[in-house]
Amino acid sequence: MNQTTQTLPKVAPEPIPRISIIGAGIAGLALACRLASNIRVSIFEARDQTSIGHSYAITLDKRSWKPLARALRRQNHQSFRQATAVDRLIKGTGQVHRDSSPKSATFQAVDRDVRQWLVQGLIEKGVQIHWSHKLTGIKEASNGRGAELSFENNAKAEADFIIDAGGLQSPAFDHAKPSAIKPKLLPYATYYGTRQYAANTFMDRFGHWFGEGNVIEFAPAKAGEPFIYLQKVHLPGKQSSDHSVELRWLYSRPPRASGNDPLYRPNRAPEEAKDIPPELYTEILQSIKQYYSEGRRDILRQFFTLQDLQNDRILNWHLRLRLPTLDYFVSNATKPSYNITAIGDAAHSFPVVRSRGANIALDDARQYERLLRSYLLGEDDVFRTDPNFYKASEMYATWYGQARDAVQRLREAHSQDLLSEDELGGTVGFSFNMDTLKGVRLAGENGSTFPELSSESEEEVKGSL
Ligand SMILES: Cc1cc2nc3c(=O)[nH]c(=O)nc-3n(C[C@H](O)[C@H](O)[C@H](O)COP(=O)(O)OP(=O)(O)OC[C@H]3O[C@@H](n4cnc5c(N)ncnc54)[C@H](O)[C@@H]3O)c2cc1C
């Protein structure tokens, strides 16, 4: 029987289903916060509380963060922005570019601060997060009701609904079909550097280039030239009176057509990401001379000296896209007495450059909450009948659309021509037939299959790394 059309087994709805979220990333925390007002949830995170999150910036758009902040009703929703903006330490609002509208709802937030804000929201709602609980196994409970979850620290828990929000490793999923989840590597030579300054030094030297914004982009004039991106994040110091500024930069271009390209290393091992070919330094300095007009060249020269580059922490990034097939998701959800659903990066991961991963994770949490609530109210049966969650909520169609958009955004950032429909299918890994979803109730706010980007959203996407 085709797995996408079979009837899913009944999940025990009585007494009240036990709901466990794996992973306290943005997806898991946002979902827990949304449910916690009147549904009991457990949340398990592999790391301890002090080590969650990263200091990098994520560009959040209003479609994603405003509904979340509103749903949490913690003070007014501006408090979310004030608590998480990359430049909050200098009373900034996370404005993306210096010429972005100050009224734009799109802003740059620090990943770690977003997580901490959500954690605080859960604490206020009385939800305990089970830190240092790394999920290691899931099996049917011995009484046949629900699943038994095992953790590395030997703890056990039981659940009827398991939400895998565990990021790239999708820890609750059965990876028996590795070909279904193998990421596609996209052809770019991409390098990402980080350096830190004392805040005063940074602002004196570079503050005027950024103005009120936090990102400066140098788009290539034509395909083949590099895309350069500079981003600043203000980080608290040990004492409240001092803070530092982290400058993050990106240098990215397609591989050289000649094939002789020391910067393009698709076959390097993960541990070799830190091994930086010396040709990178010369190429960056040479590109600044060659491709940019006087004014822009002057800005870039200030940021990139040979000495700075040699001292930077640089990584060679592989830009990957991973979207498993719909069958893969459905076969994982189909368990005799419990249900597993993936959201956020556990379900899909898109290239980091021009990423909307965090925004999509927030959308996933919103859709999951909506469907779970209607299931619990007896209004909907999506978790146990066909079409299942991924189809009924149009999640999968949205993800497929996002995967295609991610490829196009990357091409746009590199001034490359956009791909045709056929070429896109090849890049995403497979073509998904939208007819599979015919007759399925639409979940998008405006009923469209792929949410249209408003002009503000387009600006947001451009601000994303
Ligand atoms: C440098 C950079 C810049 C980015 N910029 C943007 C941007 O501008 N805009 C945007 O929208 N997105 C951006 N992204 C992508 C975005 O950060 C991710 O898509 C998003 O954070 C994914 O959230 P998540 O909750 O799904 O997964 P994660 O953040 O990976 O969280 C998963 C959590 O699960 C935990 N976990 C893993 N395994 C287990 C286990 N076995 N048991 C228990 N817990 C487990 C992990 O410790 C982690 O805390 C960027 C990413 C990077 C790296």
Side-chain angles (χ1 to χ4, degrees):
M1 191 191 307
N2 180 342
Q3 278 163 325
T4 59
T5 56
Q6 78 187 67
T7 299
L8 296 175
K10 188 171 159 78
V11 204
E14 294 293 339
I16 298 167
R18 296 155 299 175
I19 298 159
S20 285
I21 298 171
I22 310 301
I26 287 180
L29 289 168
L31 178 61
C33 284
R34 286 180 157 279
L35 293 174
S37 53
N38 54 1
I39 297 175
R40 220 172 135 193
V41 286
S42 302
I43 175 159
F44 299 95
E45 165 57 46
R47 292 168 171 266
D48 65 36
Q49 185 172 359
T50 55
S51 62
I52 61 154
H54 308 274
S55 61
Y56 59 70
I58 48 179
T59 307
L60 294 179
D61 61 58
K62 69 170 178 212
R63 264 192 63 238
S64 312
W65 74 264
K66 278 203 167 171
L68 174 71
R70 226 175 279 126
L72 297 186
R73 291 196 198 94
R74 290 183 57 203
Q75 302 146 33
N76 62 51
H77 61 253
Q78 284 305 335
S79 71
F80 173 72
R81 190 162 173 165
Q82 283 155 5
T84 61
V86 285
D87 50 359
R88 70 183 167 84
L89 295 171
I90 52 166
K91 301 206 166 12
T93 57
Q95 183 175 314
V96 181
H97 300 109
R98 65 178 303 150
D99 54 0
S100 304
S101 159
K103 289 194 182 138
S104 168
T106 298
F107 79 104
Q108 292 228 303
V110 182
D111 171 77
R112 185 187 295 142
D113 293 345
V114 172
R115 294 205 203 190
Q116 292 299 357
W117 194 83
L118 293 167
V119 166
Q120 197 51 40
L122 284 173
I123 292 170
E124 284 167 19
K125 286 174 194 280
V127 177
Q128 188 204 348
I129 300 174
H130 301 273
W131 300 107
S132 308
H133 276 62
K134 181 174 183 184
L135 181 82
T136 48
I138 302 178
K139 62 175 187 189
E140 191 169 337
S142 47
N143 61 5
R145 190 185 153 235
E148 182 184 272
L149 314 184
S150 318
F151 299 90
E152 202 172 61
N153 60 1
N154 295 324
K156 305 263 185 232
E158 290 196 344
D160 303 299
F161 285 87
I162 301 154
I163 298 100
D164 187 341
L168 277 178
Q169 305 302 325
S170 53
F173 267 51
D174 171 6
H175 297 181
K177 282 197 271 176
S179 59
I181 50 168
K182 201 165 179 282
K184 292 275 280 187
L185 187 63
L186 301 174
Y188 294 95
T190 303
Y191 290 81
Y192 180 68
T194 319
R195 76 178 83 127
Q196 291 223 351
Y197 293 91
N200 288 343
T201 314
F202 183 90
M203 294 311 280
D204 287 350
R205 280 182 67 186
F206 306 118
H208 55 288
W209 300 122
F210 284 91
E212 296 296 307
N214 292 285
V215 168
I216 307 177
E217 295 192 43
F218 299 84
K222 56 179 194 298
E225 295 178 9
F227 167 53
I228 300 182
Y229 179 104
L230 304 171
Q231 180 184 61
K232 71 176 168 71
V233 180
H234 296 252
L235 298 172
K238 287 204 176 75
Q239 277 147 24
S240 57
S241 55
D242 64 23
H243 81 270
S244 60
V245 174
E246 197 164 71
L247 176 77
R248 292 169 170 264
W249 59 261
L250 182 96
Y251 179 88
S252 182
R253 60 158 175 79
R256 299 272 177 249
S258 64
N260 178 15
D261 189 343
L263 302 193
Y264 182 56
R265 300 186 295 150
N267 301 318
R268 64 143 177 84
E271 61 278 11
E272 289 167 349
K274 287 185 187 147
D275 303 343
I276 301 307
E279 289 88 344
L280 175 69
Y281 310 132
T282 23
E283 182 176 312
I284 293 179
L285 299 176
Q286 180 58 35
S287 297
I288 292 173
K289 255 196 233 155
Q290 188 176 346
Y291 296 125
Y292 298 96
S293 58
E294 214 173 319
R296 314 189 85 210
R297 195 161 54 217
D298 288 346
I299 304 179
L300 283 164
R301 277 193 177 135
Q302 310 262 341
F303 284 99
F304 295 109
T305 66
L306 182 60
Q307 198 186 3
D308 283 330
L309 286 168
Q310 284 171 337
N311 289 329
D312 285 347
R313 208 164 57 83
I314 306 179
L315 291 174
N316 171 215
W317 265 359
H318 276 166
L319 301 185
R320 291 203 177 89
L321 186 147
R322 182 187 65 114
L323 180 65
T325 58
L326 178 59
D327 273 3
Y328 173 78
F329 285 111
V330 176
S331 62
N332 261 290
T334 314
K335 303 292 173 196
S337 59
Y338 56 95
N339 179 284
I340 304 185
T341 304
I343 62 169
D345 278 13
H348 42 69
S349 54
F350 303 128
V352 180
V353 177
R354 291 283 193 255
S355 172
R356 298 199 71 251
N359 289 280
I360 303 168
L362 291 174
D363 287 350
D364 291 354
R366 182 156 53 130
Q367 291 291 359
Y368 188 91
E369 180 213 3
R370 197 177 63 78
L371 286 165
L372 184 68
R373 282 189 186 282
S374 59
Y375 170 77
L376 294 175
L377 288 168
E379 292 169 2
D380 210 325
D381 229 9
V382 291
F383 286 99
R384 56 192 173 89
T385 55
D386 182 67
N388 75 358
F389 170 70
Y390 300 102
K391 290 167 80 182
S393 62
E394 264 209 349
M395 294 299 269
Y396 192 78
T398 307
W399 294 343
Y400 188 75
Q402 293 286 1
R404 296 189 321 178
D405 287 354
V407 173
Q408 302 286 44
R409 281 200 301 273
L410 211 47
R411 294 188 66 85
E412 204 179 26
H414 291 87
S415 294
Q416 296 168 293
D417 292 339
L418 298 187
L419 295 180
S420 67
E421 281 299 310
D422 281 356
E423 289 166 325
L424 268 175
T427 312
V428 172
F430 55 91
S431 288
F432 176 65
N433 182 359
M434 288 299 179
D435 289 345
T436 319
L437 298 172
K438 266 211 176 116
V440 170
R441 176 172 40 80
L442 298 184
E445 274 163 16
N446 54 10
S448 67
T449 304
F450 301 127
E452 294 285 325
L453 288 180
S454 66
S455 55
E456 187 181 309
S457 304
E458 277 165 24
E459 178 218 318
E460 286 149 15
V461 161
K462 286 206 175 106
S464 298
L465 181 68

